């Protein structure tokens, strides 16, 4: 509780804006497309929030203004007149316009995230299974399923400032790959290879969670995206990968 109070005081003292306070309610964004997703999120929040408050105020006013009184008879309006219909059609039209506005704002973000991914030489195969994450890197031949593949359990190392392509698969049940800091969430469906991508903008360690209830050990299905600067990532490659593979991958990360 004390931490939350300090956080609110810090936000108000530093900039004194509602936007600053609200920004701290979300995990820190460290992806190139995260800001666009946050924009859509807050757009929906404000539209729905303000509409909710307005509707509740009108409802409360109507309850108090037209509450039961001695001698007063309730009216039953069926919408037979233009004035009565306006009470239904005007709010419906406003809601439709707001919904179309949200769709318009979200469509461009959807196209950027789910459309054609930027080119990249870094590809990681993500296997989600009860109850951990397996990350596989291709070898010098840049093909999966060969002898020089490198596998890591629950920790995925990537370089900062580089586009990373993911190939998500599952051998058992439906999982969901969720990295809040990257604003990346993608279901993983058995029998399918689903592609996703991201570009991290800040080095650090960011939690991976499974956001699909996948069994009794669902709560323990956690991992980390370890975003490293170029030197640290190259060092990890040299230490972990076969020598010939390390040289190839290090060169790829510099492209």
């Amino acid at each position: 509780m004390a931490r939350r109070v300090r956080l609110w005081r810090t936000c108000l003292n530093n900039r004194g804006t509602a936007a600053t306070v609200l920004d701290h309610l979300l995990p820190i964004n460290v992806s190139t497309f995260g800001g666009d997703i946050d924009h859509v999120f807050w757009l929906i929040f404000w539209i729905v929030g303000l509409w909710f408050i307005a509707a509740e105020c009108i409802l409360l006013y109507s309850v108090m203004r037209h509450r039961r009184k001695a001698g007063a008879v309730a009216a039953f309006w069926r919408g037979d007149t233009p004035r009565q219909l306006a009470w239904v059609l005007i709010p419906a039209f406003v809601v439709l316009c707001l919904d179309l506005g949200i769709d318009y704002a979200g469509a461009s973000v959807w196209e950027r995230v789910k459309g054609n991914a930027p080119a990249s030489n870094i590809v990681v195969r993500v296997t989600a299974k009860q109850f951990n994450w397996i990350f596989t890197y291709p070898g010098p031949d840049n093909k999966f399923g060969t002898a020089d593949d490198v596998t890591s359990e629950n920790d995925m190392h990537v370089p900062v400032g580089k586009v990373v392509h993911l190939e998500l698969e599952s051998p058992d049940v439906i999982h969901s790959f969720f990295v809040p800091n990257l604003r990346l969430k993608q279901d993983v469906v058995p029998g399918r290879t689903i592609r996703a991508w991201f570009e991290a903008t800040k080095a650090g360690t960011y939690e991976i969670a499974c956001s699909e209830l996948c069994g009794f050990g669902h709560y323990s299905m956690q991992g980390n995206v370890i975003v490293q600067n170029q030197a640290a990532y190259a060092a990890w490659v040299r230490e972990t990968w076969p020598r010939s593979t390390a040289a190839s991958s290090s060169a790829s990360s510099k492209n």
Side-chain angles (χ1 to χ4, degrees):
M1 182 63 184
R3 180 176 178 275
R4 291 178 180 272
V5 171
R6 287 197 299 272
L7 175 62
W8 281 83
R9 285 178 176 173
T10 300
C11 296
L12 293 173
N13 290 335
N14 288 343
R15 294 173 61 183
T17 63
T20 304
V21 175
L22 293 175
D23 287 344
H24 284 77
L25 298 179
L26 297 177
I28 297 173
N29 167 45
V30 296
S31 75
T32 53
F33 53 67
D36 295 334
I37 294 177
D38 288 353
H39 171 72
V40 176
F41 175 86
W42 288 122
L43 178 65
I44 296 173
F45 174 83
W46 285 115
I47 289 177
V48 175
L50 294 177
W51 192 253
F52 172 78
I53 292 174
E56 292 302 311
C57 289
I58 293 174
L59 178 62
L60 182 62
Y61 168 79
S62 299
V63 169
M64 299 301 296
R65 176 69 176 80
H66 302 288
R67 66 185 183 276
R68 183 177 181 182
K69 298 177 182 177
V73 180
F76 179 66
W77 292 0
R78 299 189 306 173
D80 295 333
T81 65
R83 184 177 181 182
Q84 294 175 6
L85 280 175
W87 281 94
V88 176
L89 297 180
I90 291 179
F93 178 75
V94 173
V95 170
L96 177 62
C97 291
L98 293 175
D99 183 62
L100 292 176
I102 293 173
D103 291 343
Y104 178 79
S108 60
V109 179
W110 174 269
E111 177 60 27
R112 181 183 180 190
V113 177
K114 307 298 288 186
N116 295 326
S120 176
N121 294 324
I122 303 174
V123 183
V124 183
R125 175 167 291 171
V126 182
T127 303
K129 66 183 186 66
Q130 296 172 317
F131 295 99
N132 58 0
W133 302 95
I134 305 297
F135 302 102
T136 304
Y137 298 80
D141 57 3
N142 204 29
K143 295 180 180 178
F144 289 106
T146 55
D148 56 5
D149 288 359
V150 176
T151 299
S152 174
E153 183 172 327
N154 292 330
D155 287 338
M156 177 171 65
H157 293 255
V158 297
V160 68
K162 297 294 181 182
V163 174
V164 178
H165 288 187
L166 303 178
E167 295 183 357
L168 299 114
E169 298 179 343
S170 171
D172 42 45
V173 300
I174 297 176
H175 301 273
S176 189
F177 182 82
F178 184 33
V179 187
N181 291 99
L182 294 175
R183 305 296 192 267
L184 176 59
K185 182 176 181 292
Q186 176 61 61
D187 285 353
V188 189
V189 181
R192 294 183 58 186
T193 298
I194 300 176
R195 290 174 173 78
W197 71 277
F198 68 88
E199 180 181 348
T201 58
K202 183 179 181 180
T205 300
Y206 308 104
E207 182 181 11
I208 303 170
C210 178
S211 60
E212 183 75 29
L213 184 59
C214 58
F216 67 89
H218 166 70
Y219 70 94
S220 64
M221 194 167 173
Q222 296 178 322
N224 296 296
V225 177
I226 302 173
V227 181
Q228 300 170 294
N229 58 43
Q230 295 296 323
Y233 180 73
W236 173 79
V237 170
R238 285 195 301 272
E239 295 173 0
T240 310
W241 291 30
R243 182 166 300 178
S244 59
T245 308
S248 175
S249 176
S250 179
S252 298
S253 68
K254 295 178 181 177
N255 294 332

